[in-house]
Amino acid sequence: MKKLPILLIAVISLYSCGGKDQSVAEIISEQNLEAIRAKKNEITTQQKLIDAQLKSLDSAIAILGNEEKLPLVNTLTAKKEVFNHYLELQGDVSTKQNVLIYPEMAGTLQRVHVKEGDRVSRGQVLATIDDGGLSSQLNQLKTQASLAKTTFERQERLWNQNIGSEIQYLQAKTNYEAAENMVSQAESQLGKSTIRAPFSGIIDDVIKDQGTVVAPGQGSEVFRIVNLSDMYIEVEVPEAYIGNVTKGKEALVYFPVLGDSIVTKIRETGNFINPANRSFEAEIPVPNKEGKIKPNLTAKVNINDYTSEDAILIPTSIISENAEGEQYVFVADEASAEGESIVKRTIITTGKTQGAEIEVLTGLNDGDHIIKEGARSVKDGQKVKIKK
C-alpha cells in the first residue's frame, strides 16, 4: 500500500518534467504535422505505461487486502436413479374390424333397418333385399320334401316287413334326400337376401338407400361398419432396435390432435425385416373406452427400449469437449465454510439421451458435486465460490 503514493509522485514528476517541453497548444499553433504526430506518440506511450502500472497496483491491492474475486458457480449433486429411455416413432391408428359390407345377391334394397351411428351386434339384420320369389319357391320345395319324407317312411316300414322291392325303397330314399338338399340350398340362397352385421360395432356409413338396386361386386357397398373397441397402432421400428423392442415392452402413446396420451404395451412384433427400409413392425393395442380414438388418427409412440436402475443423469448443456473429442465436466471438492472450493476437470463417457438429460456411464460417482451454472467460465484447478 505504501508504493501507491510513490507511484503518484513519480507520475506527477513525469508531467512536471514534461513541462519543459512545448505544450500541446504550442505545437498545434506551429502547424508542423511531424511535430504533432511525434507529440501524440509520446503521450500515447506514457498513457499505456500508466494503465499497465495501475492494473498491477489493483491486483496487488486485491491480494494484499484479501479481496480476490472468485468465479461464482452453482452445483448439482450426482445421484443414482432409474433411467428409462424411449424410442420415438410415429404411426396411424388402425382396426382389423373396419369393413365395407357388400350384398351377396342381386335385387332391390327392400328395407334398411339401421342408420349411421347405430351400434349393432354380431348377426343383427341391417337390411333386406327383395328375394325375387325365392320365399315362394322355398315353400313349394318344403311341401315336396314333406311328401317325399312321407313316401320314404311308408316305403321303409314296408321294407322292414319284407314287403316291396329294394329298388322301390332306394328310390323313395333318394327322392327324400334330394328334396331335403333342395330345401337347404333354397334356404341358403334366401338367407343371402338378408344383410347381417359380421361383428359388433358401429354403422359408420349407410352407402346405399332403400329402393336401390344392388348386386355383388365392387361399387355395390351398402354399409361401412367399424369396431372401435379393438384399435391398434402399427409402427416401423429400425432393425438396430430388434433386441430391445420386444413383446411386452412399455409404450407411451400420444395423440396430438386429441391432446391425450395413454400407457400400453407392445402386443406383437414382426418376424420380417423390410429390405426397403431395414425395419420391422410392432403392433401396439390402444384402449378406446371413450370412443374418441378413430381409425387413421396420427399418434406419436415412445417405446421403452432401455432401462437402467442406477443411472447418473446430468444436463447435456454442462458437457464440454476437448480437442481429442473427449467429453468432460467440472467437479468441485467439498466446499469450505466460506463456500470456496477447487474444481477439477473430469473426463466422462456418456450413453443415451432423453430430453435435456444424458446418462453418464463412467467418470462420475454418486454424490459428486458437478458445476452447473458457470461451467463454461472455469478452468481445471481453479478456485471458485459456490452459491448457497
Side-chain angles (χ1 to χ4, degrees), residues 155-166 168-169:
Q155 191 65 43
E156 186 178 32
R157 286 196 296 269
L158 293 174
W159 175 253
N160 291 335
Q161 297 174 11
N162 295 322
I163 300 173
S165 66
E166 183 179 4
Q168 291 176 324
Y169 168 73

Side-chain angles (χ1 to χ4, degrees), residues 287-308:
N288 191 23
K289 295 180 180 179
E290 298 180 6
K292 296 189 297 182
I293 302 172
K294 310 297 183 183
N296 300 315
L297 186 67
T298 300
K300 292 182 178 179
V301 180
N302 291 291
I303 300 175
N304 177 214
D305 67 323
Y306 171 76
T307 299
S308 177

Side-chain angles (χ1 to χ4, degrees), residues 98-308:
N98 175 18
V99 300
L100 293 169
I101 301 177
Y102 293 84
E104 293 185 88
M105 69 175 293
T108 303
L109 200 58
Q110 196 171 45
R111 186 176 179 186
V112 177
H113 300 274
V114 294
K115 60 182 182 298
E116 292 179 5
D118 283 356
R119 291 186 175 273
V120 296
S121 303
R122 180 179 180 181
Q124 181 176 333
V125 176
L126 306 180
T128 52
I129 300 172
D130 182 15
D131 59 26
L134 277 178
S135 55
S136 299
Q137 294 178 22
L138 176 61
N139 292 332
Q140 184 177 356
L141 290 173
K142 285 182 177 180
T143 302
Q144 293 174 358
S146 177
L147 175 61
K149 181 181 179 181
T150 302
T151 303
F152 168 67
E153 289 174 349
R154 290 183 178 181
Q155 191 65 43
E156 186 178 32
R157 286 196 296 269
L158 293 174
W159 175 253
N160 291 335
Q161 297 174 11
N162 295 322
I163 300 173
S165 66
E166 183 179 4
I167 293 297
Q168 291 176 324
Y169 168 73
L170 292 175
Q171 188 175 18
K173 181 181 179 181
T174 301
N175 291 338
Y176 170 59
E177 291 175 350
E180 286 291 320
N181 288 335
M182 291 179 67
V183 169
S184 297
Q185 290 177 7
E187 287 177 339
S188 176
Q189 190 66 23
L190 184 61
K192 294 179 180 180
S193 66
T194 302
I195 301 176
R196 298 180 182 272
F199 51 80
S200 298
I202 298 174
I203 300 299
D204 187 64
D205 191 11
V206 178
I207 303 171
K208 293 291 189 294
D209 297 325
Q210 184 171 308
T212 305
V213 176
V214 295
Q218 292 292 330
S220 292
E221 304 89 346
V222 181
F223 302 101
R224 177 184 291 277
I225 182 171
V226 180
N227 184 355
L228 298 180
S229 62
D230 186 19
M231 312 289 282
Y232 67 95
I233 299 172
E234 270 191 351
V235 293
E236 294 186 341
V237 185
E239 65 176 350
Y241 298 92
I242 195 168
N244 297 327
V245 178
T246 56
K247 181 179 179 180
K249 282 280 189 176
E250 184 181 84
L252 306 178
V253 181
Y254 174 67
F255 302 99
V257 174
L258 300 178
D260 194 12
S261 60
I262 59 172
V263 179
T264 180
K265 292 184 178 181
I266 297 176
R267 178 164 62 191
E268 196 63 53
T269 56
N271 298 307
F272 171 74
I273 301 294
N274 188 340
N277 56 11
R278 309 306 305 173
S279 66
F280 64 96
E281 291 186 346
E283 185 177 299
I284 303 164
V286 179
N288 191 23
K289 295 180 180 179
E290 298 180 6
K292 296 189 297 182
I293 302 172
K294 310 297 183 183
N296 300 315
L297 186 67
T298 300
K300 292 182 178 179
V301 180
N302 291 291
I303 300 175
N304 177 214
D305 67 323
Y306 171 76
T307 299
S308 177

Side-chain angles (χ1 to χ4, degrees), residues 335-381:
S336 63
E338 293 78 19
E340 297 178 357
S341 177
I342 303 295
V343 299
K344 178 183 178 183
R345 187 176 66 177
T346 303
I347 303 296
I348 61 172
T349 56
T350 56
K352 295 182 180 294
T353 302
Q354 190 67 48
E357 292 188 317
I358 190 169
E359 181 187 14
V360 178
L361 302 177
T362 62
L364 294 179
N365 298 312
D366 194 18
D368 283 349
H369 301 291
I370 307 161
I371 304 297
K372 184 179 179 182
E373 294 180 10
R376 303 293 183 185
S377 60
V378 298
K379 298 179 181 179
D380 187 23

